[in-house]
Amino acid sequence: MEESASILDMFMEQKKTLALVLKEKGKVIGSLGIENVKEEPEIPAEFLGREIGYVLSKNHWGKGLMAEAVKAVMEYCFTILRYDYLTCAHFVQNNQSRRVIEKSGFHYLKDVKHETRYGTVEDTKLYICYNPNSEVRNV
């Protein structure tokens, strides 16, 4: 309980994590984070980008909810925050996340190794999506 409370406090302080709420019940079923890019794409430094990460309760997988939420966050990041690009990644074995990424318009960029907070290293696929109104598309 203490660890969960600490993590929630951190998310609220940093104002970069959004809750995914099931409207009918008012219940939190997942979250989306807008993080600093961990694995830099080969893009000139003057272009701004962030990494999107998400988690969804397994009971709600396969319903299109996360893809809808990711698209809304992408729109916010591109139109309001004016980022030039967004990245997103999934562990190789996580096909549900791969489908969300593909449905959201991201394109495969490269394979990377991701060190988890638990000290394991996971094979990961990194994707990118460019802001359609950004000059980064022409680089």
Side-chain angles (χ1 to χ4, degrees):
M1 291 293 281
E2 287 179 32
E3 182 181 2
S4 294
S6 173
I7 290 169
L8 286 172
D9 287 343
M10 177 188 66
F11 285 159
M12 289 186 288
E13 285 174 20
Q14 295 175 358
K15 296 183 180 163
K16 63 181 183 179
T17 302
L18 308 164
L20 184 60
V21 178
L22 193 58
K23 203 179 214 179
E24 303 83 50
K25 297 183 180 184
K27 180 181 175 185
V28 174
I29 59 170
S31 65
L32 283 119
I34 306 168
E35 305 287 338
N36 290 329
V37 176
K38 293 178 189 79
E39 188 70 40
E40 291 289 335
E42 295 173 12
I43 296 174
E46 66 266 20
F47 293 107
L48 298 175
R50 289 292 183 268
E51 180 176 337
I52 291 180
Y54 50 84
V55 63
L56 181 65
S57 169
K58 198 169 189 172
N59 295 340
H60 299 283
W61 287 9
K63 299 177 183 177
L65 299 173
M66 189 53 75
E68 180 181 341
V70 168
K71 286 179 186 175
V73 169
M74 290 171 69
E75 180 71 18
Y76 173 76
C77 287
F78 288 153
T79 60
I80 305 300
L81 301 178
R82 305 186 66 73
Y83 291 131
D84 296 298
Y85 67 92
L86 295 169
T87 63
C88 195
H90 69 85
F91 297 148
V92 170
Q93 69 277 12
N94 190 337
N95 286 317
Q96 292 292 119
S97 280
R98 178 185 54 80
R99 286 294 299 135
V100 169
I101 291 168
E102 291 171 349
K103 286 165 69 174
S104 301
F106 284 85
H107 301 283
Y108 172 78
L109 188 61
K110 61 183 174 178
D111 288 349
V112 296
K113 300 281 187 188
H114 174 77
E115 186 173 341
T116 70
R117 71 181 83 190
Y118 304 108
T120 64
V121 177
E122 302 288 337
D123 291 331
T124 303
K125 300 225 176 258
L126 181 67
Y127 296 75
I128 193 163
C129 186
Y130 298 105
N131 183 336
N133 300 314
S134 171
E135 294 294 318
V136 73
R137 295 188 65 147
N138 302 320
V139 174

